[in-house]
Amino acid sequence: MHSSAEKKGLTIWLTGLPSAGKSTIARKLATLLKGEGHRVTVLDGDEVRERLNKGLGFSKEDRDENIRRIAYVARLLTEAGSTVIVAAISPYRDARDAARAEIGRFAEIHVNCSLEECIRRDVKGLYKKALAGTLDHFTGVSDPYEPPLMPELVVETDREAPIDSARGIIFCLQSLGYLPASTKEELAPTERLAPIQTGSEA
């Protein structure tokens, strides 16, 4: 049986540099939440750009429009009672703040990873092109990334496994009252995952 907190719906917004691990954590998080009986929708930035926002570029104006459209869809789903996971670079703080204001029940998770590690993981070769100067407007190299000032949680993906990051997010949201307590023993918090970092200057 779902609690009233879950029935209200929620958007979990994962933001971070390219290759920081947002999509991987989103998939792990979705699996864990579905196992708890939640109705989950994942809005992955790459997929949304291909299917919903095709034609938008990477100027600040187009990036803001991309986030505005994602936030609109996330709000509709949240209002319908879904748990929505957004995995999008969403580099600009004001666009994320606008999404928070529009959606209401919103938790911002900073998927933090060093630029060096993101470059090492660069399976698409995009960092290589950006560093060589052949790819413009690439976040973290030729475009800025503005980390959240007060996220609900910061996960450190160059120091922890994706499944541990996903579990940490669930623990955080449970402690904040966004999600009901887990019914499964394997989701019990561990000492390493316990801290909830709010007001971070990351």
Side-chain angles (χ1 to χ4, degrees), residues 2-3 5-7 30 32-41 81-83 170 174 178-181:
H2 295 169
S3 75
E6 192 273 334
K7 285 179 179 176
L32 292 176
L33 290 169
K34 287 177 182 176
E36 288 285 308
H38 296 266
R39 183 153 45 95
V40 180
T41 303
S82 289
T83 300
I170 290 177
Q174 288 171 341
Y178 281 121
L179 294 175

Side-chain angles (χ1 to χ4, degrees), residues 9-13 33 39-43 70 73-79 82-86:
L10 168 69
T11 289
I12 305 168
W13 195 287
L33 290 169
R39 183 153 45 95
V40 180
T41 303
V42 176
L43 298 176
I70 292 174
V73 174
R75 176 175 66 82
L76 295 179
L77 291 167
T78 298
E79 289 176 349
S82 289
T83 300
V84 183
I85 304 170
V86 175

Side-chain angles (χ1 to χ4, degrees), residues 110-141:
H110 183 195
V111 180
N112 191 34
C113 184
S114 68
L115 181 61
E116 293 75 17
E117 176 62 15
C118 290
I119 292 171
R120 190 192 67 78
R121 295 174 182 175
D122 183 22
V123 295
K124 297 179 182 177
L126 298 178
Y127 276 104
K128 185 177 181 180
K129 291 180 181 177
L131 290 167
T134 59
L135 180 62
D136 294 331
H137 298 297
F138 191 77
T139 301
V141 177

